[in-house]
Amino acid sequence: MTTDTDARAGFQAVLQAHRGIVAKVAGTYAWHPDDRDDLMQEIATQLWRAWPGYDPQRPAATWMYRIALNVAISYVRGRTRGVQPEAWNEDHHDLADPRAHDHEGRQQVDLLYRFIQAQPPLDRALLLLYLEDRSHREMADVLGLSETNVATKISRLKQRLRQEL
């Protein structure tokens, strides 16, 4: 039987090992630092609530992505009902870009961020996982889609991205 202390220690270890997932998801769905912090806190809270149902035989990253993306999508939907999304503003992203002195590279990154921001929440999630080099199977598991649906959506997103760029 697991004690509360053991459960808490196990949860903290998994959260620490995969903290980048929480930060990436929050950064993709909330660009203002205060909103991003709120979303990260909400994701961590929901992960803790879901912890008793976590199956250690399954990949922790997949479990975390699924919960984090569901929380983020709900967060965006709740905050944007009847509100137009904010236009891309480079100042809202405080992530350093190693290509800061590469003007053409910087423009491409900005275009990609604008494209991602303009997508519906599910497509944003798919793009985030794709950019993380997740397999179609992992993306399907996280998003609750079939692998065929994932492949089709990725193909369509790539086509839209090529058209816009």
Side-chain angles (χ1 to χ4, degrees):
M1 186 165 166
T2 303
T3 67
D4 286 341
T5 304
D6 293 340
R8 196 176 5 242
F11 173 74
Q12 288 175 338
V14 169
L15 186 60
Q16 182 65 24
H18 300 286
R19 69 182 182 270
I21 291 171
V22 175
K24 286 174 192 166
V25 170
T28 300
Y29 287 86
W31 290 359
H32 188 275
D34 291 339
D35 293 338
R36 190 169 44 246
D37 290 345
D38 288 348
L39 182 53
M40 288 175 65
Q41 184 65 42
E42 183 61 24
I43 290 169
T45 299
Q46 293 306 321
L47 286 168
W48 172 246
R49 287 183 180 154
W51 181 248
Y54 169 65
D55 177 4
Q57 301 301 317
R58 307 213 12 119
T62 301
W63 173 79
M64 287 184 75
Y65 263 120
R66 175 173 267 187
I67 292 170
L69 288 168
N70 283 333
V71 170
I73 289 169
S74 295
Y75 176 85
V76 168
R77 286 181 179 154
R79 292 180 58 98
T80 60
R81 290 179 206 255
V83 176
Q84 288 294 338
E86 183 178 336
W88 167 259
N89 182 339
E90 188 175 310
D91 295 333
H92 288 183
H93 253 301
D94 56 2
L95 301 175
D97 185 352
R99 296 181 286 189
H101 299 292
D102 176 5
H103 184 67
E104 184 176 324
R106 183 71 199 156
Q107 283 182 318
Q108 289 177 335
V109 169
D110 287 347
L111 288 172
L112 178 61
Y113 281 138
R114 283 188 195 111
F115 177 79
I116 291 170
Q117 194 265 339
Q119 301 312 303
L122 181 62
D123 288 348
R124 270 193 241 174
L126 190 59
L127 284 166
L128 175 66
L129 293 168
Y130 179 78
L131 292 172
E132 285 281 313
D133 284 330
R134 300 293 174 168
S135 70
H136 286 183
R137 177 178 295 269
E138 286 177 292
M139 288 186 258
D141 286 347
V142 168
L143 298 174
L145 303 171
S146 70
E147 287 183 60
T148 303
N149 197 348
V150 165
T152 300
K153 286 181 168 292
I154 288 172
S155 177
R156 289 178 182 160
L157 284 166
K158 284 179 179 178
Q159 185 177 18
R160 273 191 275 166
L161 182 59
R162 278 191 290 272
Q163 289 172 348
E164 289 200 22
L165 297 181

